[in-house]
Amino acid sequence: PFPEVKPHLEAHRAWVAQLRAAGQVITSGYRVDAEGRPGGGGLMIFAATNHAAAEALVKQDPLIANDCVDWQLNRWIPEVGCINVV
């Protein structure tokens, strides 16, 4: 239920902002349908030196640490083009 998750979502946003301020390459957001309605889950993209470092970072996320979301960690290997996370 959203009222229970809301404080952890706000903590998540602050956590991501703190990481960005410290120089971590990271962005976070939520998925929406064709009408712009949320509810499809979230996505966080960040840079890490290896899988263990990525997992350690993810487990610090307040949404994950407080069991608010189901999550899966995947490595992404870009093949064409690039994305600058700002």
Side-chain angles (χ1 to χ4, degrees):
F2 184 72
E4 294 174 21
V5 172
K6 186 177 179 186
H8 304 298
L9 179 58
E10 291 169 1
H12 162 83
R13 291 176 178 142
W15 175 73
V16 171
Q18 289 171 351
L19 289 171
R20 290 176 56 80
Q24 171 73 42
V25 175
I26 187 169
T27 189
S28 174
Y30 58 93
R31 298 169 47 199
V32 297
D33 65 14
E35 305 301 319
R37 294 178 299 238
L43 181 66
M44 189 163 59
I45 299 174
F46 58 92
T49 55
N50 56 45
H51 191 275
E55 186 172 21
L57 179 68
V58 167
K59 287 183 175 180
Q60 295 174 32
D61 182 337
L63 288 172
I64 291 172
N66 290 285
D67 295 320
C68 297
V69 296
D70 294 326
W71 62 280
Q72 181 177 344
L73 178 61
N74 293 289
R75 182 178 180 199
W76 178 59
I77 302 172
E79 288 193 6
V80 178
C82 67
I83 296 176
N84 292 326
V85 180
V86 293

